[in-house]
Amino acid sequence: MPSSHGGSHWFEPSSAHHQSFDWGAAGAPATQMASQTSIRERVTAHVERALAALAKDGLVTGALPAVELVPPKSAAHGDYATPIALALAKSAKKKPRDIAEALKRALGDAGGLLEKIEVAGPGFLNLFVAKAAWLEALAHVLQAGETFVRSDHGKRERVLVEFVSANPTGPLHIAHGRGAVTGDVIAGLLDAAGYDVSREYYINDLGNQTDIMARSIHLRYAELFGRAFAPPEDFYPGDYIIDVARELKTEHGDRFLDQPEAAWLTLFRDRGIDAMLRRIRADLDAFGVRFDRWTSEKELVARVGLDGLVERLEAGGHVFTEDGKKWFRSTAFGDDKDRVVVREDSRPTYFATDIAYHDDKMRRGFKRLVNVWGADHGGYVARVRAGMQALGHDPAALKVVLVQMVSLSRGGESVRMGKRLGTAVWLDEVVREAGRDATRYFFVMRRSDAQLDFDIELATKKSLDNPVYYAQMGHARMCSIARRAAAQGIPAPTLAPGALDALALPEELQMVKTLVRAPEVVAAAADLCEPHLIVHYVQDLIGQFHSYYTLYKNSEKVISDDPQKTRARLLLCQALRLALAALLGILGVEAPEQMAAADADAADA
RNA sequence: GCGCGAUUAGCUCAGAUGGAUAGAGCGUCGGCCUCCGGAGCCGAAGGCCGCAGGUUCGAAUCCUGCAUCGCGCGCCA
């Protein structure tokens, strides 16, 4: 892996602001499409304009730094704050507070957008957005409906998300499940953020592992005929292997008993792969994960031909021969050591096909590649990037998300597991026990690169300690309010001018402020490839609603005698519901209109 | 040994790309129950952000070193 001391900047984005893809839109002017421009962008544009005015008057000189709006920790510091005056102080040789004061004057009320500007602390500019602007933003949410969380941030750039890609040698276990949701949600986020996304599963149907599986099946097959069973070191112990062996016995009898490997290996391998893929697809299907394309390694090799790939590497001078093997000089691109691409017996290595695969992805026209890998594959990132670079691709086009392990517990009691011990926890078991929604939600609750403790007891709890339940309950509660209103004969609220003006409680305004940020949050989570940001945002939003609901249940209810307030609050609930439904949709978690009663669950089962 | 990741409240974790007084959930303690779903809500206590330096107006965040834990370090995939 690249180290921090130089020479490696091709592989690991070297500076902090490159840690995520800067996938465009950052420099886009915030002027067009006023109706969809976020408040944040509008405020930024005004500050930039004010700054330019100061520069014109010679108050500040030199290159102007980018205007950054910081979300203040305290509401007393406004809706946005900018430390721009602090940053300018040195080059302008002026006191930060003086610059801030000048900016404040130049800003004015920003065309009615701002209701108050304060110079605070060492020279922060605290900006208070006018209530009318927030309500206007809320109106846009209601007009857009569920699509409001979407944006054109990604400019339809084509992105390929490759994930799961588990070997077809057994069912998916719990860690695969985490990778599956992570990839699926990242793809969903990219889609919502305006990228053109494709989901892909790479099938490693070539090579040793599948041969080992074939031999394992054959051993089991022989065992079914009463032969002594002595598993070798490389052996797949699972029962699913026996199932395949049984099928083969039924179909072919003892035809392959005591036969040399050549007589049965291909058949047993193909049948094994076929059976495992069927199972994997079924598991993923039950988990709500679908792919646009399944790429077979075998077919890839047949299609692109590895000879050509090696020749291209050779033509670039990236290959040398030693001990009869062909080596890719990946160290030239920052890798730890050079890697064999063609073995002595002229068989290509796994690595060779992997370069070919990534080359193929780029050649298919994708501008960005996201790979969701288990953390144990971390060591491969450098060499794959090296391969891409050697073939003339931008290595920075590849983003690898490393997903850490999942440890399972029940009410704090950890469940021991290990593949070796044969105590692997299969994904389908977990989904069956905890349910698809809870499992998905928990798997993306934490940052991908942090280990995850999955408490299956908590996940199945029908109570609000359970974060999934909390969120879904919120959605159900909003639906329930709408149903109640309809039952009382209150007409469906319409978005007439002034319809939202009755929203005046601080909690209501705060919810609006949080709500209208959703598209930004989605775009940020997409660029960073960090689904957990959505989960945290959902918890924040729904937490505010539960709190609001309870706080005012005896005083300022949504449905009241005041038709103005009732209409405005119903509209707010409607917008919140839309946001929640859209976000849960991206997470692949259901947004129920009412929480199922326990007996209804039993009836379904 | 080398590389990668982690280290923040009793526990599980956030911290928006260097900003003002470091946050949430659970747990603990103290309040609020006749419902638009109490399957809740409000409040409080609880922190040398692993340790030591450095960079600058300013660091949990960036750099260096150290410590502890996890994962890698195949001509396996």
Side-chain angles (χ1 to χ4, degrees), chain A residues 19 57 102 116 238 243 264 292 341 353 391 400 426 440 450 466 483-484 490 501 511 546 570:
Chain A
Q19 282 302 313
D57 294 346
K116 190 165 68 165
D243 294 339
W264 48 263
D292 297 305
V341 283
T353 58
L391 293 174
V400 179
W426 304 124
R440 289 187 64 116
N466 180 350
R483 279 194 302 271
R484 162 76 56 139
I490 297 169
D501 291 353
M511 279 191 281
H546 283 308
L570 283 173

mmCIF file with all atom_site columns, all heavy atoms in Angstrom, chain A residues 19 57 102 116 238 243 264 292 341 353 391 400 426 440 450 466 483-484 490 501 511 546 570:
data_model
loop_
_atom_site.group_PDB
_atom_site.id
_atom_site.type_symbol
_atom_site.label_atom_id
_atom_site.label_alt_id
_atom_site.label_comp_id
_atom_site.label_asym_id
_atom_site.label_entity_id
_atom_site.label_seq_id
_atom_site.pdbx_PDB_ins_code
_atom_site.Cartn_x
_atom_site.Cartn_y
_atom_site.Cartn_z
_atom_site.occupancy
_atom_site.B_iso_or_equiv
_atom_site.pdbx_formal_charge
_atom_site.auth_seq_id
_atom_site.auth_comp_id
_atom_site.auth_asym_id
_atom_site.auth_atom_id
_atom_site.pdbx_PDB_model_num
ATOM 1   N N   . GLN A 1 19  ? -10.076 13.031  -0.503  1.00 0.00 ? 19  GLN A N   1
ATOM 2   C CA  . GLN A 1 19  ? -10.481 11.769  0.093   1.00 0.00 ? 19  GLN A CA  1
ATOM 3   C C   . GLN A 1 19  ? -11.769 11.260  -0.534  1.00 0.00 ? 19  GLN A C   1
ATOM 4   O O   . GLN A 1 19  ? -11.983 10.087  -0.652  1.00 0.00 ? 19  GLN A O   1
ATOM 5   C CB  . GLN A 1 19  ? -10.677 11.917  1.599   1.00 0.00 ? 19  GLN A CB  1
ATOM 6   C CG  . GLN A 1 19  ? -9.356  11.925  2.378   1.00 0.00 ? 19  GLN A CG  1
ATOM 7   C CD  . GLN A 1 19  ? -8.542  10.675  2.140   1.00 0.00 ? 19  GLN A CD  1
ATOM 8   O OE1 . GLN A 1 19  ? -9.072  9.586   2.195   1.00 0.00 ? 19  GLN A OE1 1
ATOM 9   N NE2 . GLN A 1 19  ? -7.263  10.815  1.856   1.00 0.00 ? 19  GLN A NE2 1
ATOM 10  N N   . ASP A 1 57  ? -13.552 47.582  -4.276  1.00 0.00 ? 57  ASP A N   1
ATOM 11  C CA  . ASP A 1 57  ? -13.257 48.818  -3.550  1.00 0.00 ? 57  ASP A CA  1
ATOM 12  C C   . ASP A 1 57  ? -11.855 48.804  -2.945  1.00 0.00 ? 57  ASP A C   1
ATOM 13  O O   . ASP A 1 57  ? -11.479 49.732  -2.237  1.00 0.00 ? 57  ASP A O   1
ATOM 14  C CB  . ASP A 1 57  ? -14.276 49.016  -2.419  1.00 0.00 ? 57  ASP A CB  1
ATOM 15  C CG  . ASP A 1 57  ? -15.664 49.258  -2.983  1.00 0.00 ? 57  ASP A CG  1
ATOM 16  O OD1 . ASP A 1 57  ? -15.763 49.523  -4.198  1.00 0.00 ? 57  ASP A OD1 1
ATOM 17  O OD2 . ASP A 1 57  ? -16.640 49.170  -2.221  1.00 0.00 ? 57  ASP A OD2 1
ATOM 18  N N   . ALA A 1 102 ? -17.456 45.182  7.096   1.00 0.00 ? 102 ALA A N   1
ATOM 19  C CA  . ALA A 1 102 ? -17.586 45.659  5.714   1.00 0.00 ? 102 ALA A CA  1
ATOM 20  C C   . ALA A 1 102 ? -18.426 44.696  4.888   1.00 0.00 ? 102 ALA A C   1
ATOM 21  O O   . ALA A 1 102 ? -19.275 45.104  4.094   1.00 0.00 ? 102 ALA A O   1
ATOM 22  C CB  . ALA A 1 102 ? -16.202 45.824  5.096   1.00 0.00 ? 102 ALA A CB  1
ATOM 23  N N   . LYS A 1 116 ? -31.011 38.857  9.325   1.00 0.00 ? 116 LYS A N   1
ATOM 24  C CA  . LYS A 1 116 ? -30.083 39.406  10.309  1.00 0.00 ? 116 LYS A CA  1
ATOM 25  C C   . LYS A 1 116 ? -28.673 38.921  10.002  1.00 0.00 ? 116 LYS A C   1
ATOM 26  O O   . LYS A 1 116 ? -28.477 37.782  9.595   1.00 0.00 ? 116 LYS A O   1
ATOM 27  C CB  . LYS A 1 116 ? -30.492 38.972  11.720  1.00 0.00 ? 116 LYS A CB  1
ATOM 28  C CG  . LYS A 1 116 ? -29.725 39.685  12.820  1.00 0.00 ? 116 LYS A CG  1
ATOM 29  C CD  . LYS A 1 116 ? -30.387 39.510  14.193  1.00 0.00 ? 116 LYS A CD  1
ATOM 30  C CE  . LYS A 1 116 ? -30.320 38.085  14.692  1.00 0.00 ? 116 LYS A CE  1
ATOM 31  N NZ  . LYS A 1 116 ? -30.630 37.939  16.127  1.00 0.00 ? 116 LYS A NZ  1
ATOM 32  N N   . GLY A 1 238 ? -19.591 -27.116 4.163   1.00 0.00 ? 238 GLY A N   1
ATOM 33  C CA  . GLY A 1 238 ? -21.029 -26.861 4.353   1.00 0.00 ? 238 GLY A CA  1
ATOM 34  C C   . GLY A 1 238 ? -21.963 -27.923 3.810   1.00 0.00 ? 238 GLY A C   1
ATOM 35  O O   . GLY A 1 238 ? -21.635 -28.678 2.890   1.00 0.00 ? 238 GLY A O   1
ATOM 36  N N   . ASP A 1 243 ? -25.819 -31.179 -0.798  1.00 0.00 ? 243 ASP A N   1
ATOM 37  C CA  . ASP A 1 243 ? -27.019 -31.085 -1.630  1.00 0.00 ? 243 ASP A CA  1
ATOM 38  C C   . ASP A 1 243 ? -26.670 -31.261 -3.111  1.00 0.00 ? 243 ASP A C   1
ATOM 39  O O   . ASP A 1 243 ? -27.364 -31.954 -3.856  1.00 0.00 ? 243 ASP A O   1
ATOM 40  C CB  . ASP A 1 243 ? -27.694 -29.719 -1.430  1.00 0.00 ? 243 ASP A CB  1
ATOM 41  C CG  . ASP A 1 243 ? -28.226 -29.565 -0.012  1.00 0.00 ? 243 ASP A CG  1
ATOM 42  O OD1 . ASP A 1 243 ? -28.424 -30.598 0.649   1.00 0.00 ? 243 ASP A OD1 1
ATOM 43  O OD2 . ASP A 1 243 ? -28.445 -28.425 0.418   1.00 0.00 ? 243 ASP A OD2 1
ATOM 44  N N   . TRP A 1 264 ? -14.653 -35.762 -14.242 1.00 0.00 ? 264 TRP A N   1
ATOM 45  C CA  . TRP A 1 264 ? -15.795 -35.119 -13.595 1.00 0.00 ? 264 TRP A CA  1
ATOM 46  C C   . TRP A 1 264 ? -15.576 -33.667 -13.171 1.00 0.00 ? 264 TRP A C   1
ATOM 47  O O   . TRP A 1 264 ? -16.544 -32.948 -12.889 1.00 0.00 ? 264 TRP A O   1
ATOM 48  C CB  . TRP A 1 264 ? -16.223 -35.922 -12.367 1.00 0.00 ? 264 TRP A CB  1
ATOM 49  C CG  . TRP A 1 264 ? -15.097 -36.308 -11.428 1.00 0.00 ? 264 TRP A CG  1
ATOM 50  C CD1 . TRP A 1 264 ? -14.436 -37.492 -11.399 1.00 0.00 ? 264 TRP A CD1 1
ATOM 51  C CD2 . TRP A 1 264 ? -14.517 -35.480 -10.405 1.00 0.00 ? 264 TRP A CD2 1
ATOM 52  N NE1 . TRP A 1 264 ? -13.466 -37.482 -10.428 1.00 0.00 ? 264 TRP A NE1 1
ATOM 53  C CE2 . TRP A 1 264 ? -13.499 -36.256 -9.796  1.00 0.00 ? 264 TRP A CE2 1
ATOM 54  C CE3 . TRP A 1 264 ? -14.756 -34.187 -9.936  1.00 0.00 ? 264 TRP A CE3 1
ATOM 55  C CZ2 . TRP A 1 264 ? -12.712 -35.772 -8.747  1.00 0.00 ? 264 TRP A CZ2 1
ATOM 56  C CZ3 . TRP A 1 264 ? -13.978 -33.707 -8.898  1.00 0.00 ? 264 TRP A CZ3 1
ATOM 57  C CH2 . TRP A 1 264 ? -12.963 -34.489 -8.311  1.00 0.00 ? 264 TRP A CH2 1
ATOM 58  N N   . ASP A 1 292 ? -27.667 -4.912  -12.129 1.00 0.00 ? 292 ASP A N   1
ATOM 59  C CA  . ASP A 1 292 ? -27.946 -4.662  -13.533 1.00 0.00 ? 292 ASP A CA  1
ATOM 60  C C   . ASP A 1 292 ? -27.195 -5.656  -14.394 1.00 0.00 ? 292 ASP A C   1
ATOM 61  O O   . ASP A 1 292 ? -27.575 -5.930  -15.521 1.00 0.00 ? 292 ASP A O   1
ATOM 62  C CB  . ASP A 1 292 ? -27.505 -3.240  -13.914 1.00 0.00 ? 292 ASP A CB  1
ATOM 63  C CG  . ASP A 1 292 ? -28.284 -2.197  -13.146 1.00 0.00 ? 292 ASP A CG  1
ATOM 64  O OD1 . ASP A 1 292 ? -29.523 -2.249  -13.209 1.00 0.00 ? 292 ASP A OD1 1
ATOM 65  O OD2 . ASP A 1 292 ? -27.669 -1.362  -12.461 1.00 0.00 ? 292 ASP A OD2 1
ATOM 66  N N   . VAL A 1 341 ? 1.875   -11.723 -13.401 1.00 0.00 ? 341 VAL A N   1
ATOM 67  C CA  . VAL A 1 341 ? 0.635   -11.734 -14.175 1.00 0.00 ? 341 VAL A CA  1
ATOM 68  C C   . VAL A 1 341 ? 0.483   -13.023 -14.986 1.00 0.00 ? 341 VAL A C   1
ATOM 69  O O   . VAL A 1 341 ? -0.636  -13.460 -15.242 1.00 0.00 ? 341 VAL A O   1
ATOM 70  C CB  . VAL A 1 341 ? 0.507   -10.518 -15.132 1.00 0.00 ? 341 VAL A CB  1
ATOM 71  C CG1 . VAL A 1 341 ? 0.107   -9.279  -14.353 1.00 0.00 ? 341 VAL A CG1 1
ATOM 72  C CG2 . VAL A 1 341 ? 1.779   -10.272 -15.905 1.00 0.00 ? 341 VAL A CG2 1
ATOM 73  N N   . THR A 1 353 ? -6.516  -11.132 -14.551 1.00 0.00 ? 353 THR A N   1
ATOM 74  C CA  . THR A 1 353 ? -7.919  -10.980 -14.944 1.00 0.00 ? 353 THR A CA  1
ATOM 75  C C   . THR A 1 353 ? -8.553  -9.786  -14.240 1.00 0.00 ? 353 THR A C   1
ATOM 76  O O   . THR A 1 353 ? -9.442  -9.137  -14.771 1.00 0.00 ? 353 THR A O   1
ATOM 77  C CB  . THR A 1 353 ? -8.739  -12.247 -14.634 1.00 0.00 ? 353 THR A CB  1
ATOM 78  O OG1 . THR A 1 353 ? -8.648  -12.522 -13.242 1.00 0.00 ? 353 THR A OG1 1
ATOM 79  C CG2 . THR A 1 353 ? -8.229  -13.421 -15.413 1.00 0.00 ? 353 THR A CG2 1
ATOM 80  N N   . LEU A 1 391 ? -2.429  0.991   -17.899 1.00 0.00 ? 391 LEU A N   1
ATOM 81  C CA  . LEU A 1 391 ? -3.215  0.874   -19.121 1.00 0.00 ? 391 LEU A CA  1
ATOM 82  C C   . LEU A 1 391 ? -3.775  2.217   -19.569 1.00 0.00 ? 391 LEU A C   1
ATOM 83  O O   . LEU A 1 391 ? -4.621  2.283   -20.458 1.00 0.00 ? 391 LEU A O   1
ATOM 84  C CB  . LEU A 1 391 ? -4.347  -0.127  -18.915 1.00 0.00 ? 391 LEU A CB  1
ATOM 85  C CG  . LEU A 1 391 ? -3.882  -1.573  -18.714 1.00 0.00 ? 391 LEU A CG  1
ATOM 86  C CD1 . LEU A 1 391 ? -5.060  -2.469  -18.361 1.00 0.00 ? 391 LEU A CD1 1
ATOM 87  C CD2 . LEU A 1 391 ? -3.166  -2.084  -19.948 1.00 0.00 ? 391 LEU A CD2 1
ATOM 88  N N   . VAL A 1 400 ? -12.395 2.748   -3.764  1.00 0.00 ? 400 VAL A N   1
ATOM 89  C CA  . VAL A 1 400 ? -12.620 1.467   -3.122  1.00 0.00 ? 400 VAL A CA  1
ATOM 90  C C   . VAL A 1 400 ? -13.172 1.704   -1.728  1.00 0.00 ? 400 VAL A C   1
ATOM 91  O O   . VAL A 1 400 ? -12.565 2.408   -0.927  1.00 0.00 ? 400 VAL A O   1
ATOM 92  C CB  . VAL A 1 400 ? -11.327 0.639   -3.039  1.00 0.00 ? 400 VAL A CB  1
ATOM 93  C CG1 . VAL A 1 400 ? -11.597 -0.686  -2.344  1.00 0.00 ? 400 VAL A CG1 1
ATOM 94  C CG2 . VAL A 1 400 ? -10.759 0.406   -4.427  1.00 0.00 ? 400 VAL A CG2 1
ATOM 95  N N   . TRP A 1 426 ? -24.990 -17.333 8.203   1.00 0.00 ? 426 TRP A N   1
ATOM 96  C CA  . TRP A 1 426 ? -25.467 -17.071 6.848   1.00 0.00 ? 426 TRP A CA  1
ATOM 97  C C   . TRP A 1 426 ? -26.413 -15.890 6.819   1.00 0.00 ? 426 TRP A C   1
ATOM 98  O O   . TRP A 1 426 ? -27.220 -15.681 7.720   1.00 0.00 ? 426 TRP A O   1
ATOM 99  C CB  . TRP A 1 426 ? -26.158 -18.307 6.257   1.00 0.00 ? 426 TRP A CB  1
ATOM 100 C CG  . TRP A 1 426 ? -25.315 -19.531 6.254   1.00 0.00 ? 426 TRP A CG  1
ATOM 101 C CD1 . TRP A 1 426 ? -25.621 -20.732 6.825   1.00 0.00 ? 426 TRP A CD1 1
ATOM 102 C CD2 . TRP A 1 426 ? -24.014 -19.700 5.666   1.00 0.00 ? 426 TRP A CD2 1
ATOM 103 N NE1 . TRP A 1 426 ? -24.602 -21.629 6.628   1.00 0.00 ? 426 TRP A NE1 1
ATOM 104 C CE2 . TRP A 1 426 ? -23.599 -21.024 5.920   1.00 0.00 ? 426 TRP A CE2 1
ATOM 105 C CE3 . TRP A 1 426 ? -23.147 -18.863 4.967   1.00 0.00 ? 426 TRP A CE3 1
ATOM 106 C CZ2 . TRP A 1 426 ? -22.370 -21.538 5.496   1.00 0.00 ? 426 TRP A CZ2 1
ATOM 107 C CZ3 . TRP A 1 426 ? -21.919 -19.367 4.535   1.00 0.00 ? 426 TRP A CZ3 1
ATOM 108 C CH2 . TRP A 1 426 ? -21.551 -20.682 4.801   1.00 0.00 ? 426 TRP A CH2 1
ATOM 109 N N   . ARG A 1 440 ? -30.944 -4.446  6.932   1.00 0.00 ? 440 ARG A N   1
ATOM 110 C CA  . ARG A 1 440 ? -30.384 -3.437  6.028   1.00 0.00 ? 440 ARG A CA  1
ATOM 111 C C   . ARG A 1 440 ? -30.029 -2.174  6.791   1.00 0.00 ? 440 ARG A C   1
ATOM 112 O O   . ARG A 1 440 ? -28.957 -1.607  6.630   1.00 0.00 ? 440 ARG A O   1
ATOM 113 C CB  . ARG A 1 440 ? -31.382 -3.109  4.909   1.00 0.00 ? 440 ARG A CB  1
ATOM 114 C CG  . ARG A 1 440 ? -31.550 -4.221  3.894   1.00 0.00 ? 440 ARG A CG  1
ATOM 115 C CD  . ARG A 1 440 ? -32.429 -3.765  2.732   1.00 0.00 ? 440 ARG A CD  1
ATOM 116 N NE  . ARG A 1 440 ? -31.806 -2.693  1.998   1.00 0.00 ? 440 ARG A NE  1
ATOM 117 C CZ  . ARG A 1 440 ? -31.416 -2.759  0.725   1.00 0.00 ? 440 ARG A CZ  1
ATOM 118 N NH1 . ARG A 1 440 ? -31.612 -3.853  0.029   1.00 0.00 ? 440 ARG A NH1 1
ATOM 119 N NH2 . ARG A 1 440 ? -30.861 -1.734  0.144   1.00 0.00 ? 440 ARG A NH2 1
ATOM 120 N N   . ALA A 1 450 ? -15.626 1.118   9.861   1.00 0.00 ? 450 ALA A N   1
ATOM 121 C CA  . ALA A 1 450 ? -15.613 0.791   11.283  1.00 0.00 ? 450 ALA A CA  1
ATOM 122 C C   . ALA A 1 450 ? -16.300 -0.559  11.472  1.00 0.00 ? 450 ALA A C   1
ATOM 123 O O   . ALA A 1 450 ? -17.255 -0.881  10.766  1.00 0.00 ? 450 ALA A O   1
ATOM 124 C CB  . ALA A 1 450 ? -16.332 1.866   12.083  1.00 0.00 ? 450 ALA A CB  1
ATOM 125 N N   . ASN A 1 466 ? -35.157 0.581   19.176  1.00 0.00 ? 466 ASN A N   1
ATOM 126 C CA  . ASN A 1 466 ? -34.706 0.041   17.906  1.00 0.00 ? 466 ASN A CA  1
ATOM 127 C C   . ASN A 1 466 ? -34.778 1.148   16.851  1.00 0.00 ? 466 ASN A C   1
ATOM 128 O O   . ASN A 1 466 ? -35.856 1.600   16.508  1.00 0.00 ? 466 ASN A O   1
ATOM 129 C CB  . ASN A 1 466 ? -35.623 -1.134  17.543  1.00 0.00 ? 466 ASN A CB  1
ATOM 130 C CG  . ASN A 1 466 ? -35.240 -1.778  16.238  1.00 0.00 ? 466 ASN A CG  1
ATOM 131 O OD1 . ASN A 1 466 ? -34.413 -1.245  15.502  1.00 0.00 ? 466 ASN A OD1 1
ATOM 132 N ND2 . ASN A 1 466 ? -35.840 -2.911  15.945  1.00 0.00 ? 466 ASN A ND2 1
ATOM 133 N N   . ARG A 1 483 ? -54.535 10.368  7.999   1.00 0.00 ? 483 ARG A N   1
ATOM 134 C CA  . ARG A 1 483 ? -55.775 9.576   7.990   1.00 0.00 ? 483 ARG A CA  1
ATOM 135 C C   . ARG A 1 483 ? -56.809 10.188  8.924   1.00 0.00 ? 483 ARG A C   1
ATOM 136 O O   . ARG A 1 483 ? -57.993 10.302  8.586   1.00 0.00 ? 483 ARG A O   1
ATOM 137 C CB  . ARG A 1 483 ? -55.481 8.135   8.430   1.00 0.00 ? 483 ARG A CB  1
ATOM 138 C CG  . ARG A 1 483 ? -54.912 7.239   7.354   1.00 0.00 ? 483 ARG A CG  1
ATOM 139 C CD  . ARG A 1 483 ? -54.976 5.764   7.756   1.00 0.00 ? 483 ARG A CD  1
ATOM 140 N NE  . ARG A 1 483 ? -54.282 5.476   8.996   1.00 0.00 ? 483 ARG A NE  1
ATOM 141 C CZ  . ARG A 1 483 ? -52.987 5.159   9.066   1.00 0.00 ? 483 ARG A CZ  1
ATOM 142 N NH1 . ARG A 1 483 ? -52.262 5.099   7.974   1.00 0.00 ? 483 ARG A NH1 1
ATOM 143 N NH2 . ARG A 1 483 ? -52.424 4.909   10.225  1.00 0.00 ? 483 ARG A NH2 1
ATOM 144 N N   . ARG A 1 484 ? -56.326 10.604  10.093  1.00 0.00 ? 484 ARG A N   1
ATOM 145 C CA  . ARG A 1 484 ? -57.222 11.209  11.072  1.00 0.00 ? 484 ARG A CA  1
ATOM 146 C C   . ARG A 1 484 ? -57.881 12.467  10.505  1.00 0.00 ? 484 ARG A C   1
ATOM 147 O O   . ARG A 1 484 ? -59.094 12.674  10.653  1.00 0.00 ? 484 ARG A O   1
ATOM 148 C CB  . ARG A 1 484 ? -56.429 11.512  12.346  1.00 0.00 ? 484 ARG A CB  1
ATOM 149 C CG  . ARG A 1 484 ? -57.055 12.496  13.311  1.00 0.00 ? 484 ARG A CG  1
ATOM 150 C CD  . ARG A 1 484 ? -58.190 11.884  14.096  1.00 0.00 ? 484 ARG A CD  1
ATOM 151 N NE  . ARG A 1 484 ? -57.783 10.690  14.816  1.00 0.00 ? 484 ARG A NE  1
ATOM 152 C CZ  . ARG A 1 484 ? -58.191 10.417  16.061  1.00 0.00 ? 484 ARG A CZ  1
ATOM 153 N NH1 . ARG A 1 484 ? -58.977 11.264  16.700  1.00 0.00 ? 484 ARG A NH1 1
ATOM 154 N NH2 . ARG A 1 484 ? -57.816 9.303   16.636  1.00 0.00 ? 484 ARG A NH2 1
ATOM 155 N N   . ILE A 1 490 ? -61.542 16.924  7.070   1.00 0.00 ? 490 ILE A N   1
ATOM 156 C CA  . ILE A 1 490 ? -60.694 18.064  6.711   1.00 0.00 ? 490 ILE A CA  1
ATOM 157 C C   . ILE A 1 490 ? -60.194 17.851  5.288   1.00 0.00 ? 490 ILE A C   1
ATOM 158 O O   . ILE A 1 490 ? -59.658 16.786  4.972   1.00 0.00 ? 490 ILE A O   1
ATOM 159 C CB  . ILE A 1 490 ? -59.504 18.172  7.686   1.00 0.00 ? 490 ILE A CB  1
ATOM 160 C CG1 . ILE A 1 490 ? -60.037 18.449  9.094   1.00 0.00 ? 490 ILE A CG1 1
ATOM 161 C CG2 . ILE A 1 490 ? -58.515 19.239  7.235   1.00 0.00 ? 490 ILE A CG2 1
ATOM 162 C CD1 . ILE A 1 490 ? -58.995 18.316  10.175  1.00 0.00 ? 490 ILE A CD1 1
ATOM 163 N N   . ASP A 1 501 ? -47.720 29.994  6.128   1.00 0.00 ? 501 ASP A N   1
ATOM 164 C CA  . ASP A 1 501 ? -47.352 31.093  7.011   1.00 0.00 ? 501 ASP A CA  1
ATOM 165 C C   . ASP A 1 501 ? -47.643 30.833  8.481   1.00 0.00 ? 501 ASP A C   1
ATOM 166 O O   . ASP A 1 501 ? -47.007 31.413  9.356   1.00 0.00 ? 501 ASP A O   1
ATOM 167 C CB  . ASP A 1 501 ? -48.062 32.385  6.577   1.00 0.00 ? 501 ASP A CB  1
ATOM 168 C CG  . ASP A 1 501 ? -47.511 32.886  5.243   1.00 0.00 ? 501 ASP A CG  1
ATOM 169 O OD1 . ASP A 1 501 ? -46.519 32.291  4.766   1.00 0.00 ? 501 ASP A OD1 1
ATOM 170 O OD2 . ASP A 1 501 ? -48.077 33.843  4.688   1.00 0.00 ? 501 ASP A OD2 1
ATOM 171 N N   . MET A 1 511 ? -37.517 21.990  11.945  1.00 0.00 ? 511 MET A N   1
ATOM 172 C CA  . MET A 1 511 ? -37.757 20.817  11.088  1.00 0.00 ? 511 MET A CA  1
ATOM 173 C C   . MET A 1 511 ? -37.666 21.204  9.619   1.00 0.00 ? 511 MET A C   1
ATOM 174 O O   . MET A 1 511 ? -37.122 20.463  8.804   1.00 0.00 ? 511 MET A O   1
ATOM 175 C CB  . MET A 1 511 ? -39.135 20.207  11.389  1.00 0.00 ? 511 MET A CB  1
ATOM 176 C CG  . MET A 1 511 ? -39.133 19.318  12.613  1.00 0.00 ? 511 MET A CG  1
ATOM 177 S SD  . MET A 1 511 ? -40.659 18.373  12.771  1.00 0.00 ? 511 MET A SD  1
ATOM 178 C CE  . MET A 1 511 ? -41.763 19.592  13.440  1.00 0.00 ? 511 MET A CE  1
ATOM 179 N N   . HIS A 1 546 ? -40.830 13.325  16.412  1.00 0.00 ? 546 HIS A N   1
ATOM 180 C CA  . HIS A 1 546 ? -41.377 12.657  17.605  1.00 0.00 ? 546 HIS A CA  1
ATOM 181 C C   . HIS A 1 546 ? -41.420 13.627  18.783  1.00 0.00 ? 546 HIS A C   1
ATOM 182 O O   . HIS A 1 546 ? -42.372 13.672  19.548  1.00 0.00 ? 546 HIS A O   1
ATOM 183 C CB  . HIS A 1 546 ? -40.529 11.440  17.983  1.00 0.00 ? 546 HIS A CB  1
ATOM 184 C CG  . HIS A 1 546 ? -40.763 10.242  17.111  1.00 0.00 ? 546 HIS A CG  1
ATOM 185 N ND1 . HIS A 1 546 ? -42.006 9.718   16.863  1.00 0.00 ? 546 HIS A ND1 1
ATOM 186 C CD2 . HIS A 1 546 ? -39.893 9.454   16.427  1.00 0.00 ? 546 HIS A CD2 1
ATOM 187 C CE1 . HIS A 1 546 ? -41.904 8.656   16.063  1.00 0.00 ? 546 HIS A CE1 1
ATOM 188 N NE2 . HIS A 1 546 ? -40.623 8.490   15.784  1.00 0.00 ? 546 HIS A NE2 1
ATOM 189 N N   . LEU A 1 570 ? -50.401 20.198  8.440   1.00 0.00 ? 570 LEU A N   1
ATOM 190 C CA  . LEU A 1 570 ? -50.602 18.996  7.619   1.00 0.00 ? 570 LEU A CA  1
ATOM 191 C C   . LEU A 1 570 ? -49.634 19.001  6.439   1.00 0.00 ? 570 LEU A C   1
ATOM 192 O O   . LEU A 1 570 ? -49.098 17.963  6.044   1.00 0.00 ? 570 LEU A O   1
ATOM 193 C CB  . LEU A 1 570 ? -52.051 18.922  7.121   1.00 0.00 ? 570 LEU A CB  1
ATOM 194 C CG  . LEU A 1 570 ? -53.083 18.463  8.164   1.00 0.00 ? 570 LEU A CG  1
ATOM 195 C CD1 . LEU A 1 570 ? -54.497 18.584  7.602   1.00 0.00 ? 570 LEU A CD1 1
ATOM 196 C CD2 . LEU A 1 570 ? -52.817 17.025  8.612   1.00 0.00 ? 570 LEU A CD2 1
#
